[in-house]
Structure formats: structure tokens, C-alpha cells
Amino acid sequence: MTAEQFIIDDRENNLFRVNREAFTSEEVLQRERKEIFDKTWLYVGHESEIPGKNDFQTRDVGGRPVIFNRDRHGDVRVLLNTCLHRGSSVCRHSSGNAKIFTCFYHGWAYRNSGELVNVPGNEDYKSEPAAVYKGLQSPAQVDSYRGLYFVNFDPDAPDLLTFLGEARYFIDLAADQSPEGVAILEGTHKYSLKANWKLLVENSIDGYHAKSVHHTYFEMMMELGATPPMLGKETVNGVAPAGMGTEFPNGHATLMYPANGLPLATDSVKQTLANLRAQAEQTFGENYATAMFGLARNSVFFPSLILIDLSFGLTLRTFYPVSPSETLVTGWQIIPKGVDEEFVKYRINNALTFWGPAGLATPDDVEALEQAQKGFGARGEVGWSDVSKGMGKPVPAANDELQMRSWWREWNRRITGQQLPTEGTSFVPFDKQDVDA
Amino acid sequence: MTSVSETPTITTRNAVEEFLFHEAGLIDEWRLEEWLDLFTLDCTYEVPATDRPHADPGLTWSLIHDGRTMLEQRVIRLKKPEAHAEFPHSQTSRIVGNVRILAETDEMIAVTANFIINRAKSGKFDTYVGRYDYELIPGNSSFLIRRKRAVLAHDMLDPQGKISFII
Ligand code: FES
Ligand SMILES: [Fe+2]
């Protein structure tokens, strides 16, 4: 059974609630598949993961198995990994290099640009399968922004740039960190949560939980001589020490706060970062370079692409539901190209201590989300969650919950068709002429 | 990886096994400070990503790449009640087997072994399996660990979801 109303957006009392049924109902998940995963832009992968001709990665995106590859001409493709004959996967490796994908079931073979090129027993068909079926299908739309590839299964959906809108500046701030560009590091975090995927959306942009859930992490950082986030003193490009949350059209949102130094960095690491910053200043101006390196930010791109961009790590994460109470997560680390090995090592070690299923912080997030999911067992008695923190403030802080409300309003619009006004205006932490010019 | 040495001496293997079983017991009993004492000051503790089991965790996005300082911090943290994922502690029971000595010099012994770790927590039961690679430094009566690498034989962390204790 599905509730009729999923959110209560009470502007008079500045109360915002989410119906817990949204996290547990199979029917809601079916609607999410239809209204969100079939219609929005979903992240597939970064071009650096398929650097050479014929390189491929297989992924599951929005419930579909896909091959993200570069064909023999070097063009990037996204192919649906299902044989046109009777459905089997045509590629069963997680990554590799292949010119041809041969389905092992009956042996139909496809070129890596999709065309069906060999059918065993072809002479037995009155109509040749290659002529009838052409080749492996692709999602209705495939597009990229700054090396990040997305797909959309809806041919009528607005294009990627329109969908990302102003929030794309947060991708720019990450992609511009080296004049040579950025690349995804080898190695993937792939893990599952026994919790609803929307709990991980909330958690990924939740500044409020840091103090309680990651208490031990911050104690450790202080012991090692680093200042934990949001305990600094300086305002950076209009972002106060307590940080701020901001919303963008289409459910994208960011929380940002002044970056606070480089825990455990060596002189050479600090120098490399200073060089990157100096180069950025020269290319984009001081204001933009300060936003890039002087601020930290956690962004969500609707529905489930997360970019966590700190000067000591750049983590990308996406996730898709398996069931109302199970989510599969994939996480990557981005590195500016052209930096030395010591800098790479430093970034990895710093980021790893926090993120990932074996870090010193993320397991506690997983625990919190699984406990919340368990708590939803009592939704008959306690039916609503509260997401009101900072509502009504002119400038919500990073540990307020504007980001989540913005995301939930978009979720609600897609699921129920009800359009609710935003709370304020989008904020971009730099002078936009710097890059628009 | 080095090939299996021609003639591992039985006495050394006994001593190595004894040491690894002792280590396994310390972890299962949550005697983590004593476990930490088994490591050298220049040690690393590594778990590669499940999709890159052969990669160097120092240069790839691995699951764990701790030097001595971070390993100490991991232990300090795990003993605090605010390490939420591990409070109350998981119960683990690990079997270390197939212990082989791959290379042996005066300064260092390269050892590989298989592990199965069964873990019970909040009504759930998980199994972690894989291979350990060790670099052991012979001491007076036993060994010190200079490098411990746990390579998971999983293609992803599912259904385990996370590694919140020492593997
Ligand atoms: S299903 Fe692929 S060849 Fe038959
Ligand atoms: Fe967290």
C-alpha cells in the first residue's frame, strides 16, 4: 500500500517531513524506476576509464546492464549488454579490451560499435538476423560533460546540459583542477547497503551527522594535528566558516565549507597543490581558483551521483536500488593528471582513511543507514521523518538540511507531479564571469 | 609473486603457523593493542580493491592502505564505543590455513596463507574469504610483521557491505 502524500512542506511552520513509506514500499520503488531511473540522466563512467581504442567497462545503470566502451575508431559508446537473440549478456567481464563481443549462448557476435556481424547457421534464416536486427541497442540518449558520461533512457528528456543547469559548475571545479585534466584512479569500491537508496542520498549531503557519527574520525584528525571541517575561522568567497547549503534546479544540491588545510601533507605535497592552484589562478582568475582549492563541497546530482570534492581527495559515488531495502554502491577516486607519485599516494591515503567500506568513517554511515531502515519497521506507529533543520533561515549552514529538502522536492515532483517552490536562490561560490567569459 | 621455495624447513613453517594462529586469536579476541605490537614501525596493512586484487594499494583506490600511524589510529578508534559500526563488537572466528613459505632470507620471510573469517553481528552472519600475503621479520623467539596484505576473494563487498573490523 502506498501513501498518497510523501512529503509535507509546511512553509508557515518551517517543517519538512518525509513519509517513511517512501523508503520501504515496493510500489514506490516501481514508481521510482518508471519516473526517475527511466527518465533522468544517470551516470555511467568517466572517459579516463576507457582510455584506449576497444577498452570497455561493464556497469549496471538504472537497472540495465551496459557496456561503456570505446569502439575501434575511438568513439565512446554505451551499449545495452543484452543479446538480440534471446537476451544473454554479450560481455561478462567487468573491464577489458575487445573488438568483438560474442554471446556465448548461441554465438551471435557483435562489433564493439554494436553491429551484429556473425550469426552461426545464418543460412537457416529466411530473413538474415543482421539485416533485421542491425545491432546492440544503446540508451535513447548518451551524452557527456567534462569527461563524465551519462545516459537517459527517455528520448524526450531535456538534454544533459539543461538537466545539470547551474549545478554543472561543481563538475567544472573538479575537472579544472589540473591543466591536463583529471582521471579516475584504478580500483573501485563496490559494496552494498541494507538500506533504501534515498537514505544514502540524504547521508551523502548531510553535514549534520558528521559530529555524531564521525566523532572518532574527528578525534583522530585532531590528534594528528588537523582541523576538522566547519571548525575553521575564515570566510572564503562568501562562504562562512559554518559553511552553507545551496539548491539548484532539478534537485541538484551542494553543501560547501571552507577547506581546512591538508592533514599529514609533506612539503612536496603542499607544493604540488600550490602549483595546481597557481596554474588555475592564471587560467581562470583568483576568485575561481579560491573556490576550487579554498572550499570543500559535497554535491548531489539528481538522482544519485555524488561528488565529494576536498583538497585532499575527490570522491565520486553513484548507487542504484536493488530492492526497497538494498542498494548497490560504486565509488571512485579522481586524481588531477600530471602530478607526482607522492601526491597521488598522499591523496589516496587521506581519502581512504575516511571513505569507502573499509575506511575509518564510512562503515559508521552504513551502520546508521541500516539502523534507520530497521527503524522504519515501526512506520505504522511513527510514520514520518523530519528534514527541517535550517528551514526558514536566509542562509542555511552546511550542517542544515536545505540540500535534502531540495532533492526531496524534485523526487516528489517526479513521483507525484506536485511542483513545490524552492526555498531561495542558488549560490555559486565564485564570480561566474571568470569561466563564462 | 615469488614461487614456492624448494625446501621450506618444517621447523620454520611450524613457527610461522604458530605466529599466524596467535595473530588470528588476538584479533578474534579484540586484543588489538597486543595485535598492533606484532607490527614493525615501518609496516603497512593493505587490502586491495575487490576488482584490482593485484594492484598496489599505495597507488590505486584500494580498500585499506595503512602505515603504522594510521594502523594505530584504526585500533584506537575501534576500541571506542563511538566506533558505531563495531559497537557492540562483532564476533569473529577465523581459520588461517594453507600456510606456505614463498621465500626465506636472513632478514625476511615471505609467507602466504588463506583465510576464512566468519562474522556475527546484530543477527547477521557474514563470511569473508581470501588470501594473506605477509612479510615477516624474524626476531629472537618469533616474528614481526612488516607487511600484511589481505586480498579478498570477493568480486565485491556484498552481502558483507563493509569491512569494519580487522581482517
Ligand atoms: S542469446 Fe545470444 S546468441 Fe542466443
Ligand atoms: Fe558520513
Side-chain angles (χ1 to χ4, degrees):
Chain A
M1 207 196 67
T2 303
E4 273 144 54
Q5 197 180 3
F6 293 108
I7 67 174
I8 296 173
D9 189 356
D10 174 356
R11 301 297 170 102
E12 212 162 294
N13 300 299
N14 289 318
L15 277 175
F16 191 96
R17 294 179 201 184
V18 176
N19 192 320
R20 294 182 174 184
E21 197 70 31
F23 297 97
T24 58
S25 148
E26 183 60 48
E27 197 189 324
V28 167
L29 179 61
Q30 295 313 325
R31 281 164 79 171
E32 289 174 338
R33 291 201 192 286
K34 204 161 146 253
E35 303 302 332
I36 295 174
F37 296 107
D38 289 359
K39 291 184 183 167
T40 51
W41 286 93
L42 307 174
Y43 180 68
V44 179
H46 188 261
E47 61 184 13
S48 63
E49 296 176 275
I50 43 170
K53 286 179 181 171
N54 309 315
D55 285 348
F56 71 83
Q57 300 272 345
T58 51
R59 300 263 147 97
D60 284 300
V61 176
R64 282 86 160 173
V66 305
I67 305 170
F68 171 55
N69 73 326
R70 222 178 259 277
D71 67 20
R72 64 198 186 287
H73 307 296
D75 293 332
V76 174
R77 307 243 174 199
V78 180
L79 304 167
L80 291 167
N81 192 1
T82 180
C83 182
L84 297 169
H85 182 224
R86 285 222 284 286
S88 172
S89 305
V90 301
C91 178
R92 294 176 296 149
H93 295 279
S94 63
S95 63
N97 185 280
K99 286 194 182 115
I100 299 275
F101 298 112
T102 305
C103 177
F104 74 99
Y105 196 178
H106 309 89
W108 286 24
Y110 303 85
R111 230 175 243 143
N112 61 9
S113 39
E115 305 89 29
L116 176 58
V117 287
N118 188 41
V119 173
N122 196 35
E123 61 281 6
D124 302 329
Y125 291 89
K126 268 256 167 67
S127 318
E128 285 200 8
V132 177
Y133 298 114
K134 308 288 188 292
L136 293 174
Q137 251 170 263
S138 285
Q141 300 192 61
V142 179
D143 204 353
S144 69
Y145 185 68
R146 306 300 310 267
L148 301 168
Y149 276 81
F150 294 79
V151 297
N152 199 317
F153 297 104
D154 177 8
D156 301 321
D159 66 277
L160 178 64
L161 215 61
T162 305
F163 172 74
L164 290 173
E166 205 161 31
R168 74 180 190 279
Y169 288 124
F170 292 96
I171 297 178
D172 293 339
L173 283 176
D176 287 331
Q177 285 179 20
S178 161
E180 291 166 58
V182 297
I184 300 266
L185 215 55
E186 215 185 301
T188 313
H189 288 171
K190 246 186 135 179
Y191 56 104
S192 63
L193 302 179
K194 300 288 173 282
N196 186 274
W197 68 283
K198 299 185 291 303
L199 278 168
L200 186 55
V201 170
E202 291 185 340
N203 173 264
S204 301
I205 46 168
D206 179 354
Y208 187 22
H209 79 290
K211 249 191 201 156
S212 41
V213 169
H214 305 308
H215 180 73
T216 58
Y217 182 80
F218 295 124
E219 276 183 339
M220 174 189 96
M221 291 313 259
M222 290 198 305
E223 199 169 312
L224 299 177
T227 316
M230 292 168 240
L231 291 184
K233 291 190 177 66
E234 263 162 68
T235 295
V236 178
N237 281 20
V239 178
M244 66 185 292
T246 190
E247 58 187 324
F248 294 97
N250 300 327
H252 315 308
T254 301
L255 68 93
M256 52 192 129
Y257 42 94
N260 39 283
L262 295 176
L264 307 176
T266 61
D267 287 343
S268 128
V269 166
K270 287 180 191 155
Q271 190 53 51
T272 305
L273 196 69
N275 293 347
L276 290 175
R277 186 179 177 142
Q279 282 167 311
E281 254 173 52
Q282 221 166 40
T283 318
F284 306 107
E286 202 195 315
N287 190 264
Y288 187 75
T290 301
M292 197 187 279
F293 294 104
L295 285 171
R297 47 210 162 254
N298 302 18
S299 309
V300 60
F301 301 93
F302 192 89
S304 59
L305 176 66
I306 310 290
L307 182 63
I308 297 156
D309 188 353
L310 309 158
S311 43
F312 54 83
L314 225 168
T315 304
L316 194 67
R317 171 195 282 173
T318 194
F319 43 90
Y320 296 107
V322 177
S323 75
S325 57
E326 193 183 354
T327 303
L328 282 185
V329 189
T330 314
W332 298 270
Q333 186 66 207
I334 300 173
I335 236 57
K337 282 191 193 166
V339 293
D340 57 75
E341 208 173 285
E342 188 179 336
F343 186 77
V344 175
K345 271 197 176 149
Y346 168 81
R347 292 268 290 222
I348 291 169
N349 288 346
N350 255 282
L352 262 192
T353 57
F354 196 99
W355 272 287
L360 275 65
T362 297
D364 295 334
D365 286 316
V366 173
E367 178 74 11
L369 308 192
E370 293 184 346
Q371 291 299 322
Q373 190 73 32
K374 204 172 161 191
F376 295 153
R379 66 191 176 283
E381 294 71 35
V382 184
W384 298 81
S385 289
D386 182 276
V387 195
S388 308
K389 194 168 183 287
M391 197 166 166
K393 274 193 199 174
V395 183
N399 60 10
D400 286 328
E401 294 170 336
L402 169 68
Q403 314 81 253
M404 284 167 235
R405 293 191 291 276
S406 160
W407 187 93
W408 273 112
R409 287 188 189 106
E410 176 64 9
W411 180 90
N412 185 62
R413 184 185 74 76
R414 289 183 180 266
I415 296 295
T416 69
Q418 174 193 27
Q419 177 99 49
L420 293 158
T422 60
E423 283 178 54
T425 48
S426 308
F427 174 83
V428 174
F430 55 89
D431 214 349
K432 274 187 284 166
Q433 293 95 279
D434 285 357
V435 279
D436 285 345
Chain B
M1 187 46 62
T2 18
S3 64
V4 181
S5 69
E6 310 281 296
T7 49
T9 60
I10 297 298
T11 41
T12 316
R13 176 140 90 201
N14 270 348
V16 166
E17 280 185 340
E18 196 60 41
F19 177 76
L20 297 187
F21 298 165
H22 172 63
E23 189 213 349
L26 290 180
I27 307 173
D28 282 344
E29 289 162 32
W30 283 85
R31 288 156 66 189
L32 299 185
E33 293 89 351
E34 287 170 72
W35 173 71
L36 197 56
D37 287 339
L38 303 180
F39 285 80
T40 64
L41 291 180
D42 64 346
C43 67
T44 53
Y45 170 55
E46 308 170 357
V47 182
T50 49
D51 66 336
R52 285 292 181 277
H54 305 294
D56 172 3
L59 291 170
T60 55
W61 190 227
S62 63
L63 290 162
I64 296 177
H65 183 250
D66 286 351
R68 175 83 199 195
T69 306
M70 209 39 74
L71 191 56
E72 283 170 12
Q73 291 298 330
R74 190 177 287 275
V75 166
I76 291 169
R77 193 190 92 85
L78 275 174
K79 297 300 289 263
K80 291 180 185 171
E82 297 85 10
H84 309 288
E86 279 302 330
F87 243 85
H89 292 325
S90 309
Q91 290 188 67
T92 60
S93 166
R94 64 196 68 209
I95 304 290
V96 178
N98 300 17
V99 177
R100 287 181 297 159
I101 293 168
L102 300 180
E104 196 176 347
T105 67
D106 287 346
E107 306 86 75
M108 198 270 292
I109 301 178
V111 172
T112 187
N114 287 2
F115 63 85
I116 302 175
I117 304 170
N118 286 307
R119 175 213 193 210
K121 175 98 177 24
S122 336
K124 281 197 293 184
F125 208 67
D126 289 317
T127 302
Y128 297 70
V129 297
R131 186 190 80 231
Y132 287 135
D133 294 323
Y134 285 97
E135 280 177 30
L136 301 179
I137 309 294
N140 292 340
S141 55
S142 184
F143 303 94
L144 282 177
I145 304 169
R146 190 164 71 195
R147 184 169 184 222
K148 176 177 181 174
R149 183 181 159 91
V151 184
L152 290 165
H154 302 215
D155 55 3
M156 61 185 294
L157 279 172
D158 175 54
Q160 299 83 2
K162 56 185 182 289
I163 304 173
S164 50
F165 56 95
I166 304 290
I167 63 168

